Amino acid sequence: MILLQSPSRFLLQILHDRLLSQDKGVDIDCQTVEFDDVRYHIQVSMRNPKVLVLSVALPLPPEEAASFDGLPFGAIEAIKAAYGPVVQILDPPKDGFDLTLKINLAKLPSDEEQKNAILLQIASIREVVLGAPLKILLKNLSMKTVGPEAGQPVALVHRPNESFFVVPQADKATVVYPMRFLDSIDIVLATSFLQEFVEARRTAALNNAPACMWSQSPPPELNGAPESALTANAGFVTFVVNPRHVEGKKLDRTVWNLLTFHAYVSYHVKCSEGFMHTRMRRRVDTLIQALDRAKSDAEKLKKMVTGPSFKK
């Protein structure tokens, strides 16, 4: 199974190309869309080739998800902590976007390893912004502390008009996903996939992974959540995250994997659907070839039985 990567290849390629050819480059004005409706718009002018302007549009948050000026709570602080003087937040953002950043390549460190690390972090802007509130909650878990939201479901946006829920406690954090799909075939495949996903967690090799559960109805941890957020045609998936899952460098990886879990499931559902379609087409081709051979053999046998005919 494939795990989605945090850095955007589109952003990372442009950043590396611009860094290598600052004096010989051309004006850039590019847009792209990633999964879960995250959009990027990057602009570079040769009048100031060492400055890039990056605008980011995030998924439209549902009503229950907490935000501050259109951004998840903690996002501004996370950007400042991650990028330092290299990145400046422009206020207001460009029309149609939730965040606009001014990236000054001249302020990158001279050390090549540090420089590449910052470029990689800039290309991971999606994780930095959308994962900011989840990172705060899980960092509290790693220190075994809780805030005023302890025991209450906190809604975090991860897809357009959809959220998942985190119930923080001092010794664990319960993460619940209402799984929704539009296509009826996707619903069937996703339900089967998630049930097998839970069964796989019970194997000895995955003893250290977070506990995983699936249910058709909302789990009790979502008591108090808005009624509109408790509908899911593919059931509910629950993970129980313990402090050992968010220690040290594990924190960032856990945040990203939880943030993109729905996209991970959607990807494998579509891969399964495509694989089955391919198998069916091959099977149909095999049957057609067998029918053609049978038809040819039948014609040969008919000629041998009837033999030549003559007219008087």
Side-chain angles (χ1 to χ4, degrees), residues 174-281:
T174 305
V175 186
V176 183
Y177 298 87
M179 303 301 291
R180 305 180 182 94
F181 295 87
L182 298 178
D183 187 78
S184 58
I185 296 177
D186 289 354
I187 295 172
V188 174
L189 291 176
T191 302
S192 176
F193 178 89
L194 292 170
Q195 290 172 339
E196 290 296 326
F197 194 86
V198 173
E199 290 298 320
R201 164 60 183 82
R202 296 174 182 170
T203 59
L206 297 176
N207 279 339
N208 292 327
C212 179
M213 292 152 284
W214 177 88
S215 62
Q216 192 66 54
S217 56
E221 287 83 2
L222 292 188
N223 291 338
E227 192 68 27
S228 59
L230 300 181
T231 57
N233 51 25
F236 296 80
V237 179
T238 303
F239 291 103
V240 179
V241 181
N242 296 318
R244 71 173 185 272
H245 299 130
V246 292
E247 294 173 344
K249 294 182 179 180
K250 294 180 183 178
L251 176 61
D252 289 337
R253 184 176 61 183
T254 302
V255 167
W256 176 249
N257 288 342
L258 291 175
L259 188 65
T260 57
F261 176 72
H262 195 290
Y264 166 85
V265 174
S266 298
Y267 175 85
H268 287 91
V269 165
K270 291 300 183 183
C271 286
S272 300
E273 190 174 345
F275 175 74
M276 287 188 287
H277 286 171
T278 302
R279 289 290 301 271
M280 286 190 293
R281 291 189 188 101

Side-chain angles (χ1 to χ4, degrees), residues 57-173:
L58 304 174
L60 187 66
E63 294 180 359
E64 66 270 12
S67 62
F68 179 76
D69 286 344
L71 295 174
F73 68 87
I76 299 296
E77 293 76 10
I79 292 171
K80 292 178 179 178
Y83 306 127
V86 177
V87 172
Q88 176 187 353
I89 301 172
L90 300 183
D91 190 24
K94 289 186 178 294
D95 290 342
F97 293 88
D98 301 296
L99 175 68
T100 298
L101 303 175
K102 181 180 178 181
I103 304 168
N104 192 340
L105 299 179
K107 293 185 178 181
L108 287 171
S110 56
D111 182 75
E112 199 66 27
E113 187 174 343
Q114 293 180 1
K115 184 185 300 182
N116 289 330
I118 292 180
L119 293 180
L120 200 66
Q121 190 79 337
I122 294 173
S124 304
I125 182 66
R126 174 201 188 105
E127 178 186 358
V128 173
V129 176
L130 284 179
L134 180 58
K135 192 169 186 177
I136 292 173
L137 296 174
L138 295 185
K139 188 176 288 186
N140 289 339
L141 173 63
S142 68
M143 297 183 292
K144 297 185 178 181
T145 60
V146 290
E149 66 280 347
Q152 300 297 319
V154 179
L156 303 178
V157 62
H158 65 144
R159 304 182 71 234
N161 288 311
E162 291 188 22
S163 57
F164 67 101
F165 296 87
V166 180
V167 184
Q169 295 175 332
D171 58 341
K172 66 179 182 180

Side-chain angles (χ1 to χ4, degrees), residues 13 22 28 32 53 119 147 158 167 200 248 253 259 281 304-305:
Q13 186 65 50
Q22 294 183 31
I28 296 177
T32 189
V53 177
L119 293 180
H158 65 144
V167 184
R253 184 176 61 183
L259 188 65
R281 291 189 188 101
M304 291 175 63
V305 171

